[in-house]
Amino acid sequence: LAEMVALNKTYLCTLFKQETDMTIGQYMIVERMNAARDMLVGSSDRVYEIANRVGYEDVDYFTMVFKKHFGMTPAEYRKRMVQ
């Protein structure tokens, strides 16, 4: 990313944190979780398929991150939101 915008990696990370109050890694997790949330409600794809689409090969790890982020598993979220 730093290379793409012709900035030093450390400087880019510092600027990003100052502007967003998040690290780049935290931002990526938020974006992935929001995309997964939308897919859970907007499609009938299986959880492991959604996990793969948002960049997680390990569905158990994806489920753990999702639960930490939203307070429920992907299956629980889908069940609650699709009713």
Side-chain angles (χ1 to χ4, degrees):
L1 185 60
E3 211 173 279
M4 290 175 64
V5 294
L7 291 175
N8 174 284
K9 179 182 173 184
T10 305
Y11 183 62
L12 175 64
C13 290
T14 301
L15 283 178
F16 194 90
K17 176 83 172 176
Q18 287 174 350
E19 292 295 319
T20 65
D21 282 332
M22 286 189 272
T23 66
I24 292 172
Q26 290 167 331
Y27 177 80
M28 289 176 61
I29 290 170
V30 167
E31 289 300 311
R32 286 174 169 177
M33 291 299 108
N34 288 339
R37 176 198 61 204
D38 294 345
M39 287 182 217
L40 283 165
V41 174
S43 76
S44 60
D45 295 343
R46 296 185 181 274
V47 172
Y48 74 88
E49 294 171 320
I50 292 170
N52 284 155
R53 256 196 227 126
V54 297
Y56 291 90
E57 291 181 19
D58 183 342
V59 71
D60 293 329
Y61 182 69
F62 166 75
T63 299
M64 181 189 76
V65 174
F66 191 94
K67 185 172 184 174
K68 183 177 178 185
H69 196 78
F70 291 109
M72 62 187 90
T73 68
E76 292 167 342
Y77 185 87
R78 175 178 271 165
K79 186 176 181 182
R80 184 174 292 177
M81 297 304 173
V82 174
Q83 292 181 17

